[in-house]
Amino acid sequence: MQLAQQVNRITIPRPDDWHIHLRDGALLRTVTPLAAAQFGRAIVMPNLTPPVTTAPAATAYRERILASLPPLVTGGATTPPPFSPLMTLYLTSTTSVEDIAAAAAAPHIVACKLYPAGATTNSASGVRSIDGLWPVFEAMAAADLVLCVHGECADPDVDVFERESAFVRDDLPRLVAAFPTLRVVLEHVSTRDGVAAVTNQAPGGRLAATVTAHHLLYSRAALFRGGRLRPHLFCAPVLKAESHRASLVEAVMGDTSGRFFLGSDSAPHVRASKLGEGGAAAGVYSGRDTLALYAEVFEAAGGEEWVAKFTRFASVNGAAFYGLPPPDGTVTLVRGDYPVPLVVEVVGGGGVTDDASVVVPLRAGEMVHWRVEAAEG
């Protein structure tokens, strides 16, 4: 049997990240240029403090994101970088139909985000029951805004490894049945139950899912490798058993419906927040090497067709589901062994020894095996 020849360089349509956290302030100025170097568009999560709950707040946040980008200089002329933040509203128990109408009228707001209260970082303002948001969901369906769902049950009595499965079993079916025309994204799907909900939906169903690189690469055993807790791999939803990880890989590799697509859930926290006495903040910062990490997954699992599958996942499926134009431009990745630094320094911070001034990236001190060589368009 002849082995497939190793691919050392690929060029694909410039991908979009359909779920990213850019934070605000100094962190925003640190991580946004790294995202813009890889992606043409990104759906930015609204869980700031205070949360982004109105269209004017989303517009103001978008302006801060764009202001954080360095200009491109070409032939002596300065032009804005080709990066477009797509904005979301944070749903609360007080979100109104009027808020949805204002969001639908704003050109750069494409979705609303549902956080169960207490499920993850800055989710205290989220909802305790989806039942109170029925008029909001109806208005979203009418306006054709996408509903992005952090699909976990936040009941503290539910085992942390079962929270996604509980949400998929109890709340998600009620939601999609009540609003069949509402496009719903099950964010950062992490279980075979979530995968099954997407793959087994009835014809004409409008449920999709984003999948992170860290859930594709790691199972929960990685959290405790070496006999100690690795806080920089702690996230919500938490990494699951190997059988769940394998189901995610199978789903993205075998997807023929276009319902699984790239959403990094890159969620930077300064090192002090990951190591503090109050416990590690939930979030994995994969944003420095997002595309490299995904490329590793597809290369390892995909055989001769892995580049085509990677292209659909990263550059085609998300835009089609959101009803947006295909991406402009291309990105080229090259294969090799590239070291990941121990930390990413926060702009204007106190240096590498200051835990409040650095972010620990995924694979810190290790290697990634692809890197972005160039992005064009």
Side-chain angles (χ1 to χ4, degrees):
M1 177 178 177
Q2 186 176 7
L3 296 178
Q5 184 176 3
Q6 185 180 73
V7 176
N8 293 313
R9 178 186 299 268
I10 62 173
T11 298
I12 64 174
R14 193 171 185 188
D16 304 307
D17 190 337
W18 300 98
H19 180 132
I20 194 170
H21 298 266
L22 298 178
R23 309 303 191 203
D24 213 345
L27 266 181
L28 173 70
R29 295 190 294 274
T30 301
V31 304
T32 303
L34 296 172
Q38 301 171 73
F39 298 105
R41 295 172 291 203
I43 288 193
V44 184
M45 293 296 105
N47 57 331
L48 304 182
T49 304
V52 179
T53 58
T54 66
T59 299
Y61 184 29
R62 186 175 191 273
E63 291 171 356
R64 297 197 299 276
I65 294 169
L66 292 174
S68 74
L69 293 168
L72 293 180
V73 179
T74 304
T78 300
T79 58
F83 177 72
S84 178
L86 303 174
M87 309 309 294
T88 57
L89 290 196
Y90 185 120
L91 297 179
T92 74
S93 60
T94 61
T95 301
S96 67
V97 170
E98 290 74 23
D99 291 325
I100 300 304
H108 298 293
I109 299 176
V110 299
C112 296
K113 183 63 182 281
L114 175 66
Y115 288 105
T120 189
T121 301
N122 295 341
S123 61
S125 298
V127 300
R128 302 201 174 275
S129 170
I130 64 172
D131 297 314
L133 289 180
W134 248 231
V136 168
F137 298 146
E138 185 175 16
M140 288 181 62
D144 205 21
L145 284 175
V146 174
L147 175 64
C148 299
V149 179
H150 182 109
E152 290 195 284
C153 169
D155 184 342
D157 292 331
V158 175
D159 187 297
V160 67
F161 293 105
E162 300 296 329
R163 290 180 179 178
E164 180 175 290
S165 297
F167 181 89
V168 168
R169 180 190 66 232
D170 297 334
D171 280 341
L172 187 62
R174 296 193 300 118
L175 178 61
V176 298
F179 303 99
T181 63
L182 177 65
R183 287 178 292 164
V184 179
V185 179
L186 182 62
E187 300 282 12
H188 40 54
V189 63
S190 66
T191 63
R192 58 177 171 264
D193 306 287
V195 166
V198 177
T199 57
N200 297 338
Q201 64 187 300
R206 309 196 83 189
L207 176 65
T210 55
V211 193
T212 76
H214 48 279
H215 285 107
L216 288 165
L217 286 165
Y218 299 104
S219 66
R220 66 189 182 192
L223 274 172
F224 308 102
R225 188 166 297 150
R228 60 185 181 86
L229 177 65
R230 300 173 70 191
H232 301 293
L233 276 176
F234 173 65
C235 53
V238 69
L239 300 175
K240 302 298 194 300
E242 174 59 20
S243 60
H244 291 288
R245 187 201 69 81
S247 74
L248 298 179
V249 175
E250 182 180 2
V252 301
M253 300 307 300
D255 181 27
T256 58
S257 64
R259 293 305 177 89
F260 294 94
F261 40 87
L262 189 157
S264 70
D265 192 23
S266 179
H269 292 281
V270 295
R271 188 165 57 192
S273 296
K274 297 294 281 184
L275 305 177
E277 293 182 1
V284 169
Y285 178 55
S286 59
R288 180 187 180 276
D289 299 289
T290 305
L291 287 181
L293 294 163
Y294 279 111
E296 286 186 26
V297 173
F298 280 80
E299 182 185 33
E304 293 184 354
E305 297 182 355
W306 77 265
V307 177
K309 293 177 180 180
F310 178 46
T311 299
R312 289 193 292 270
F313 175 81
S315 306
V316 176
N317 294 349
F321 181 82
Y322 272 85
L324 294 172
D328 289 328
T330 60
V331 65
T332 298
L333 294 94
V334 292
R335 204 185 191 291
D337 293 319
Y338 304 103
V340 179
L342 293 174
V343 296
V344 173
E345 292 189 57
V346 176
V347 172
V352 297
T353 61
D354 179 8
D355 283 349
S357 298
V358 294
V359 176
V360 177
L362 187 59
R363 292 270 181 90
E366 303 175 27
M367 296 282 184
V368 291
H369 303 296
W370 290 87
R371 69 173 174 84
V372 173
E373 180 184 67
E376 299 179 1

